[in-house]
Amino acid sequence: MPTPEKTSFSRIVAAGRDLLEAGGQQGLTMQNVAERVGVRAPSLYKHVGNRAALLAAVAEATVDDLVARLESTDGSIEGLARGYRQFAQAWPEGFRLMFSAGAPPEALARVAAPVLHASRQLVGERDALEAARLVTAWAAGFIKMELAGAFRLGGDVDRAFEYGLVGIRRALAGDH
């Protein structure tokens, strides 16, 4: 009779996400995950082929959580951007991982879907992709700067984010 599994893929990914947030990508090692789930590192290879696959699985789980957060918003450009920012503040290392080479492109496409839908509502089908890219690039850039502590000139960062959203809405709702 085979011995029972001592861990599962979902436990490994959950441990990976915790370790990622605690120590960044450097802290997300096969050895650290094995210790966290209570197995020896070689046992992980039954579930996750290598570190790159572990990073991809953690990125995909992070994207799944972000998609769920975006789907819980009102679906507006503003609501989506606020949801994106709240998610990044809660999971900053996961947010950074989503922009790394290890993030599965098909997972990232799921994040784009609600933004594309909201963009279509504002600008129509022809310009939806460009509008979605504008919103995503602005929000991601703002959030990356915020997470890095790059806003050092004083002022209210929340107010600046809302100001940016107003400007984006105006730009997208204007003539095309």
Side-chain angles (χ1 to χ4, degrees):
M1 181 174 286
T3 57
E5 291 287 329
K6 293 185 179 183
T7 192
S8 67
F9 183 74
S10 62
R11 282 190 63 214
I12 290 167
V13 171
R17 289 187 74 191
D18 291 344
L19 288 165
L20 177 69
E21 291 305 323
Q25 287 189 41
Q26 312 84 277
L28 181 53
T29 65
M30 297 295 273
Q31 182 63 43
N32 289 346
V33 171
E35 288 173 11
R36 177 68 63 101
V37 298
V39 300
R40 293 182 359 176
S43 298
L44 288 183
Y45 291 98
K46 295 175 189 172
H47 301 280
V48 182
N50 54 37
R51 185 169 183 271
L54 175 63
L55 284 167
V58 168
E60 185 146 4
T62 302
V63 166
D64 290 344
D65 282 354
L66 175 55
V67 169
R69 180 167 306 236
L70 295 179
E71 289 174 349
S72 73
T73 71
D74 63 7
S76 69
I77 289 293
E78 296 87 349
L80 293 168
R82 288 182 194 114
Y84 198 59
R85 183 176 180 222
Q86 290 164 351
F87 179 84
Q89 290 168 338
W91 297 95
E93 292 301 326
F95 176 80
R96 288 180 183 102
L97 179 62
M98 289 186 330
F99 290 100
S100 72
E106 63 279 359
L108 295 174
R110 292 195 312 272
V111 172
V115 180
L116 275 166
H117 177 76
S119 295
R120 266 188 214 96
Q121 301 300 312
L122 278 175
V123 303
E125 186 66 41
R126 189 188 83 196
D127 294 328
L129 181 59
E130 289 76 12
R133 285 178 172 156
L134 170 67
V135 170
T136 302
W138 174 81
F142 189 102
I143 293 164
K144 284 181 179 183
M145 288 181 69
E146 182 178 24
L147 292 176
F151 293 125
R152 298 184 186 131
L153 298 177
D156 185 334
V157 175
D158 293 332
R159 184 171 175 267
F161 189 81
E162 293 300 318
Y163 180 87
L165 287 177
V166 168
I168 295 247
R169 163 68 75 169
R170 281 187 194 141
L172 293 177
D175 291 327
H176 310 294

